[in-house]
């Protein structure tokens, strides 16, 4: 079962999730194997437990099984303890736009874990920008990325972490081939749509108490379409106009 995927190492954790068919995409699995979860949690000794963990300031990094692409059915309903970290699912859904050299925006970047996963997916010629509204978390995420061997990517601007209002995105780094929003918004933020490349895709949960994860797709001609991918049911607290799932 998903909640039995705990391991004693990162490799074992991800391998267990693959064996349980929670992660099914080899490219995503390889990226998640590369990013050691122990560098992105507050208590490294429990980094490979299949459970959510608080990272401070009311935020969590979710249980690994809650991030899987196969535990979520299209237009199904997920009761999730942490929208901030639907890592494997988000990466899988954005994968067609995470080609080498792509530009990616992660809104609500928290611990920096998904920023690191995106970095490995877009390669050394790509750029990943993380926007986090809590300054202390933004600074901590930079430390995490350096511990995970990504200091050069930070120094060279291939990974950028900024403190800011997620609704505004980070226009100077765009346009973005892929945008991931890790917290629920009442409506789709227009600034983020503007910063989406043509073509490009945004993955975002939208709604107040019952949200739907949307694909916001912009085609090569600039036409924007929104597609409901799945429903999510969480309790939220407002953060700079967004809601963030509380830990269970």
């Amino acid at each position: 079962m998903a909640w039995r995927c705990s391991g004693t190492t990162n490799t074992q954790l991800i391998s267990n999730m693959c064996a349980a068919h929670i992660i099914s995409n080899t490219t995503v699995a390889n990226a998640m194997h590369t990013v050691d979860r122990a560098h992105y949690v507050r208590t490294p000794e429990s980094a490979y437990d299949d459970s959510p963990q608080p990272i401070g300031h009311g935020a969590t990094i979710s249980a690994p099984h809650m991030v899987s692409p196969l535990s979520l059915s299209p237009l199904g309903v997920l009761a999730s303890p942490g929208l901030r970290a639907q890592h494997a699912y988000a990466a899988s859904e954005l994968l067609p736009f995470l080609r080498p050299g792509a530009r990616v925006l992660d809104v609500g970047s928290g611990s920096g874990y998904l920023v690191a996963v995106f970095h490995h997916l877009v390669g050394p010629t790509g750029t990943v920008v993380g926007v986090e509204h809590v300054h202390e978390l933004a600074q901590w995420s930079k430390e995490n990325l350096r511990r995970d061997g990504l200091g050069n990517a930070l120094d060279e601007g291939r990974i950028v972490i900024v403190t800011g209002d997620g609704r505004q995105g980070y226009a100077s780094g765009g346009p973005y081939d892929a945008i991931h929003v890790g917290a629920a918004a009442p409506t789709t933020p227009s600034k983020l749509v503007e910063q989406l490349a043509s073509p490009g895709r945004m993955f975002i949960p939208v709604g107040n108490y019952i949200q739907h994860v949307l694909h916001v797709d912009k085609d090569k001609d600039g036409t924007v379409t929104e597609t409901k991918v799945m429903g999510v049911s969480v309790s939220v607290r407002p953060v700079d106009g967004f809601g963030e799932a509380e830990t269970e």
Side-chain angles (χ1 to χ4, degrees):
M1 303 298 286
W3 52 89
R4 298 176 184 170
C5 291
S6 297
T8 58
T9 66
N10 192 68
T11 296
Q12 188 177 70
L13 171 66
I14 304 304
S15 295
N16 288 346
M17 292 174 68
C18 291
H21 305 293
I22 294 170
I23 299 174
S24 62
N25 186 284
T26 301
T27 302
V28 172
N30 288 341
M32 293 182 71
H33 270 295
T34 304
V35 180
D36 192 337
R37 194 169 184 260
H39 296 305
Y40 301 89
V41 298
R42 297 291 189 182
T43 53
E45 61 271 17
S46 58
Y48 311 122
D49 291 350
D50 190 10
S51 61
Q53 298 183 35
I55 59 174
H57 306 278
T60 64
I61 183 170
S62 296
H65 77 263
M66 297 305 298
V67 306
S68 80
L70 292 184
S71 65
L72 310 173
S73 300
L75 297 183
V77 177
L78 170 70
S80 168
L83 277 174
R84 292 180 80 101
Q86 290 177 9
H87 300 148
Y89 186 69
S92 296
E93 291 297 294
L94 291 171
L95 192 59
F97 299 87
L98 299 175
R99 61 187 180 278
R103 304 184 71 85
V104 184
L105 177 66
D106 183 24
V107 177
S109 50
S111 69
Y113 179 87
L114 192 54
V115 168
V117 172
F118 285 150
H119 168 76
H120 289 293
L121 289 170
V122 303
T125 59
T127 302
V128 183
V129 177
V131 178
E132 171 55 52
H133 81 283
V134 178
H135 176 72
E136 291 81 2
L137 283 180
Q139 295 302 111
W140 179 61
S141 71
K142 293 179 187 179
E143 298 170 9
N144 297 342
L145 291 160
R146 290 188 183 279
R147 277 194 298 270
D148 206 18
L150 297 177
N152 285 342
L154 281 165
D155 295 338
E156 295 168 3
R158 291 181 284 123
I159 293 178
V160 179
I161 302 292
V162 297
T163 303
D165 182 346
R167 294 169 298 186
Q168 304 303 313
Y170 189 69
S172 63
Y176 300 101
D177 302 286
I179 298 177
H180 168 261
V181 181
T187 58
T188 306
S190 60
K191 291 290 186 182
L192 297 184
V193 177
E194 291 173 8
Q195 293 171 34
L196 198 58
S198 298
R201 171 174 290 174
M202 177 162 56
F203 176 101
I204 179 172
V206 174
N208 290 309
Y209 295 96
I210 300 295
Q211 299 91 24
H212 284 90
V213 171
L214 301 182
H215 284 173
V216 181
D217 288 308
K218 185 183 290 187
D219 67 18
K220 60 183 179 60
D221 298 316
T223 301
V224 176
T225 58
E226 294 187 356
T227 304
K228 290 182 180 180
V229 179
M230 66 176 182
V232 287
S233 178
V234 297
S235 57
V236 297
R237 59 181 178 84
V239 178
D240 284 344
F242 290 99
E244 180 183 283
E246 298 176 347
T247 185
E248 62 183 0

